[in-house]
Amino acid sequence: MSTTLEAPRKEPAAVEAPSFLGRMTIPRWAWGLVVVAGWIVVWALMKGTDTLGRPVRVRTGLTDRLTGFNNDVLASRDTNPIIQFTYGVGSTFVDAVDWLQRLISIANLPRPVPEIGWLGVTVAAVGIALVIANWRIAVLVGASFVSFGLFGYWSSAMDLLIVTFVAVAVAVLVGMPVAIWIASSKRADRAVTVLLDLMQTMPTFVYLVPVVLFFGIGASAAVVCTLIYALPPIIRIAGHGIRHVSPTTIEATNSAGQTFWQRLVKVQLPMARATIVVGLSQTIMAALAMATIAAYVNGPGLGKDVLQALRTLNIGAGFVPGALIVVMAIMLDRAATAASLRSDRVARGHGESRRQRLAVIGVATLATAVAIYLSRYYAWAADFPENESGRRVADQVNSFTGWMVDTFGGITGAVKDGITIGLLNPLESLLSESPWYVAALAIVLLAFVIGGVRALVPTVVCLAGLRLLDYWNNSMVTLSMTLVATLMVMALAVVLGVWMARSRRVDVVLRPLLDAGQTIPPFVYLLPVLALFGNGKFTAIVAAIIYAAPAAIKLVADGVKSVPEQTVEASRSTGCTTWQEITKVQLPMARSSLVLATNQGLLYVLAMVVIGGLVGGGALGYDVVLGISRSEEWGRSALAGLSIVLLGIMVDRITRAAASTDRATDIGVKARRRDLKPTGSR
């Protein structure tokens, strides 16, 4: 590649970084160190005063009032129109789930088996996959359904599939109109985005509290909480796809005189089909991720089996249903994607002939009819034959876990003690044992240094909310655990992300593992973590790292990959070593991706706060769990949940503002740059 000199191009004056931070001669990290140093000095002088800490089970007036509100609502279920409406909606979900359960998963008395047995359901699913996708997906679907029965979890797997189907169907019915709305109106987009941010920032356990209050427990609560978690992806992604249909195409349809609905149905939706299917796939993944959490409100499905294993600390018994949840997620994701690709090929005229299509439909229909007949009248086809496969796998997993604990217990204990003593305890002491007003001022100053005024305002509002809710001390303990976990997540993300970006072979090996890590329910890997590290805050941190790291690693890898190859080659031509190439070129140029990875890592870690409370994490996570399990602590749980939401909003806005400030600073630097630069000739 030859190198030429190009005269510098003058950037428009309007892109000059306008903020105070963009003009600082002292770098932001130096100002941050100044703030932290001053905070440490004040902490050393005033440690333990005005911390707002209180004994664990002490209630406040606000918690008692909220608990009273909960009791009043429950007492007025027969007269309160709002409660009657929500319970009516919940009853509709219960009826739908119950009908589908009696159809395919549980005995429809007086029949001792479902209306359609395992063979009929499996062949019907394979036939549908063959018709809407291809034979490879049909084989995958068949193998997946057989595995549900082979490992002894047929009924639970069908229950999970039913809850997922109902929740995703409602999500599509509600989400697609909203997606169309935000795609056609910027004002609607701004308003809905705020709500979606709140829904995605809020940890899932937090909204279990109001869901149980207004919808009861069981299938209704399971469908509603799954719906809340699964709704944002279809709205965001489908709305994005519809909004970004080629403007040239839209102008052509306008000039042809098409109405809004004609343009939507004939142009925008077909052209955004692939993006909409991505949104549907993400909605399905989100719904399955709620499987175990929904079990906390007596939701049916494989999550109940995982939860029971967690309560008895039976790792093998939790591994098998957890692995089947992953199998179901892969099956549904691949089927949705393949169906979309096939539909697109047919629309372009590249599908099979009409005769072939009719033949496939005919064969699938005939096979399904025969299988349903057999499953209704023959016991072997109605109830999956019992076998010991699941128990044998569980025993092997338990044996392997025992070996791991015996072999690596000393190492994991040393790691736990080192990080706890060297990092977690000092940070927790600084945050929770400083006077609350000192900690608040320091956090506000750090937010301003990192993200400017855009971070300052939401930080002040969220900290004020934490103080008013009277959960300051527990919030600071939770924040310390979150920061430690996020720091470790980003360390993994930078190391593995750069490695993946620089080696295609490593990317091919690691990416499927990362996809599986994002699909596996958190409770599944909580079991081996508990075995290795025991109860405590560090266990909660490790579980949060496992949950948050895959997303952060992929973001860093994609960001480093996006660095122009010409830039990397230019650095090599100047004699840069590999270390210099990574630290001086790739990571600085991927800074916005690093900030985004940090943002997502923080939010994912916060989403695990409540689950961490189940394994000794304490603080806000324990408060939320206590309120779910004990109705007299409902107010405490509600306030702790709101505190987690405020923490999530605060860290989200700080990191987003930091990303915006980074971009503004980069543009300002480019605008002021006057050096000649090498460019590749074409």
Side-chain angles (χ1 to χ4, degrees):
M1 181 183 70
S2 61
T3 302
T4 61
L5 291 178
E6 179 185 73
R9 290 176 296 179
K10 186 175 181 181
E11 300 283 350
V15 301
E16 183 74 24
S19 68
F20 167 73
L21 292 174
R23 295 193 300 268
M24 286 195 298
T25 56
I26 300 177
R28 285 185 292 161
W29 63 264
W31 284 110
L33 287 179
V34 171
V35 173
V36 172
W39 186 3
I40 292 174
V41 171
V42 178
W43 163 79
L45 297 174
M46 304 179 66
K47 181 179 179 181
T49 61
D50 296 328
T51 62
L52 302 182
R54 62 171 185 265
V56 174
R57 297 301 296 272
V58 171
R59 300 177 187 172
T60 66
L62 186 55
T63 58
D64 287 340
R65 286 194 294 274
L66 285 173
T67 301
F69 167 75
N70 174 65
N71 296 335
D72 292 341
V73 169
L74 293 177
S76 65
R77 281 183 296 182
D78 297 331
T79 58
N80 190 316
I82 296 177
I83 301 301
Q84 287 179 326
F85 172 75
T86 56
Y87 268 65
V89 173
S91 178
T92 302
F93 291 149
V94 170
D95 291 342
V97 170
D98 180 65
W99 183 81
L100 290 170
Q101 282 182 305
R102 287 185 283 107
L103 184 68
I104 65 173
S105 72
I106 63 175
N108 185 25
L109 300 177
R111 281 177 61 87
V113 292
E115 287 293 326
I116 303 176
W118 74 270
L119 182 63
V121 174
T122 301
V123 175
V126 171
I128 293 171
L130 186 62
V131 169
I132 68 171
N134 54 58
W135 67 268
R136 294 183 182 85
I137 298 299
V139 171
L140 173 64
V141 170
S144 300
F145 273 76
V146 170
S147 70
F148 301 149
L150 189 63
F151 291 103
Y153 289 94
W154 175 265
S155 182
S156 294
M158 293 303 100
D159 285 345
L160 175 58
L161 198 61
I162 288 168
V163 171
T164 301
F165 170 77
V166 173
V168 171
V170 177
V172 172
L173 289 175
V174 174
M176 282 305 298
V178 177
I180 294 169
W181 185 34
I182 67 173
S184 57
S185 170
K186 291 184 178 180
R187 182 176 300 177
D189 185 32
R190 288 193 295 268
V192 172
T193 297
V194 174
L195 180 60
L196 296 180
D197 286 344
L198 180 62
M199 292 169 67
Q200 291 191 298
T201 303
M202 186 185 303
T204 49
F205 259 102
V206 172
Y207 50 72
L208 286 186
V209 178
V211 164
V212 169
L213 175 62
F214 287 99
F215 293 91
I217 62 173
S220 58
V223 171
V224 172
C225 68
T226 302
L227 174 62
I228 294 172
Y229 189 65
L231 190 57
I234 188 71
I235 295 177
R236 283 188 188 277
I237 299 174
H240 173 82
I242 297 170
R243 186 187 308 114
H244 286 84
V245 170
S246 171
T248 305
T249 306
I250 299 299
E251 290 175 5
T253 61
N254 290 339
S255 64
Q258 286 190 339
T259 65
F260 169 81
W261 290 109
Q262 288 175 326
R263 182 174 66 247
L264 176 68
V265 174
K266 295 183 178 180
V267 179
Q268 289 176 295
L269 289 179
M271 293 189 70
R273 182 190 295 115
T275 306
I276 292 172
V277 171
V278 171
L280 176 62
S281 177
Q282 290 301 306
T283 294
I284 293 171
M285 297 299 102
L288 287 172
M290 285 294 292
T292 310
I293 295 175
Y296 259 90
V297 290
N298 202 32
L302 289 167
K304 272 190 171 181
D305 301 291
V306 177
L307 185 59
Q308 180 60 33
L310 177 65
R311 287 170 173 163
T312 59
L313 204 57
N314 189 333
I315 296 174
F319 172 82
V320 177
L324 293 179
I325 294 174
V326 177
V327 169
M328 185 179 294
I330 294 172
M331 175 190 73
L332 294 176
D333 176 58
R334 299 296 187 271
T337 303
S340 172
L341 293 174
R342 185 195 173 281
S343 176
D344 188 59
R345 286 198 303 271
V346 170
R348 296 172 182 272
H350 299 304
E352 67 268 22
S353 67
R354 180 178 177 82
R355 180 176 297 179
Q356 290 175 319
R357 179 73 172 161
L358 290 175
V360 170
I361 293 175
V363 170
T365 303
L366 178 62
T368 299
V370 171
I372 290 176
Y373 173 82
L374 293 174
S375 69
R376 285 184 59 81
Y377 295 104
Y378 293 89
W380 62 267
D383 200 9
F384 203 97
E386 294 186 6
N387 61 86
E388 298 295 319
S389 299
R391 187 185 60 79
R392 286 197 295 269
V393 171
D395 290 343
Q396 292 173 357
V397 170
N398 285 330
S399 299
F400 177 73
T401 303
W403 172 81
M404 280 184 60
V405 173
D406 293 339
T407 305
F408 301 105
I411 297 174
T412 56
V415 171
K416 173 182 176 180
D417 293 341
I419 294 177
T420 300
I421 296 172
L423 184 58
L424 178 60
N425 288 349
L427 182 59
E428 181 180 323
S429 179
L430 180 64
L431 281 163
S432 65
E433 295 182 17
S434 296
W436 72 269
Y437 43 85
V438 173
L441 177 61
I443 293 172
V444 166
L445 291 175
L446 286 173
F448 177 67
V449 168
I450 294 171
V453 176
R454 291 184 60 182
L456 177 66
V457 175
T459 299
V460 171
V461 172
C462 291
L463 291 177
L466 293 175
R467 178 64 182 88
L468 291 174
L469 294 178
D470 203 15
Y471 270 77
W472 180 270
N473 193 263
N474 277 357
S475 297
M476 293 301 103
V477 174
T478 297
L479 182 59
S480 66
M481 295 167 58
T482 301
L483 293 176
V484 170
T486 305
L487 181 64
M488 298 175 71
V489 165
M490 288 310 299
L492 283 173
V494 170
V495 173
L496 296 181
V498 170
W499 195 16
M500 288 173 62
R502 295 177 62 87
S503 171
R504 178 172 176 78
R505 183 177 299 176
V506 173
D507 186 270
V508 169
V509 172
L510 287 185
R511 198 165 288 269
L513 298 178
L514 297 177
D515 291 340
Q518 286 187 287
T519 307
I520 297 174
F523 283 90
V524 176
Y525 49 71
L526 199 58
L527 293 168
V529 170
L530 266 173
L532 286 171
F533 296 100
N535 283 322
K537 293 177 181 176
F538 187 76
T539 300
I541 289 173
V542 173
I545 292 169
I546 297 173
Y547 183 65
I553 292 170
K554 288 195 288 187
L555 284 169
V556 172
D558 293 340
V560 174
K561 276 184 181 179
S562 68
V563 175
E565 184 63 28
Q566 294 89 340
T567 305
V568 178
E569 290 179 5
S571 69
R572 291 171 183 165
S573 67
T574 61
C576 283
T577 63
T578 300
W579 176 253
Q580 290 172 328
E581 185 180 309
I582 294 171
T583 57
K584 302 294 185 181
V585 179
Q586 290 180 307
L587 288 180
M589 294 192 69
R591 183 167 52 185
S592 60
S593 295
L594 292 175
V595 175
L596 179 59
T598 304
N599 171 273
Q600 292 301 296
L602 277 165
L603 294 180
Y604 273 86
V605 168
L606 269 175
M608 285 290 290
V609 162
V610 180
I611 295 176
L614 297 171
V615 293
L620 295 177
Y622 173 79
D623 292 327
V624 173
V625 172
L626 186 65
I628 292 175
S629 58
R630 301 172 65 92
S631 60
E632 65 272 18
E633 300 286 356
W634 191 90
R636 177 177 181 173
S637 180
L639 290 181
L642 286 175
S643 299
I644 294 173
V645 172
L646 290 175
L647 280 178
I649 293 172
M650 182 178 73
V651 298
D652 176 60
R653 293 303 183 266
I654 291 174
T655 50
R656 288 193 185 196
S660 299
T661 304
D662 279 341
R663 286 194 294 269
T665 303
D666 289 343
I667 293 172
V669 169
K670 290 177 182 178
R672 292 189 296 267
R673 186 177 295 159
R674 292 295 181 265
D675 328 344
L676 294 178
K677 56 182 180 179
T679 60
S681 61
R682 295 184 180 180

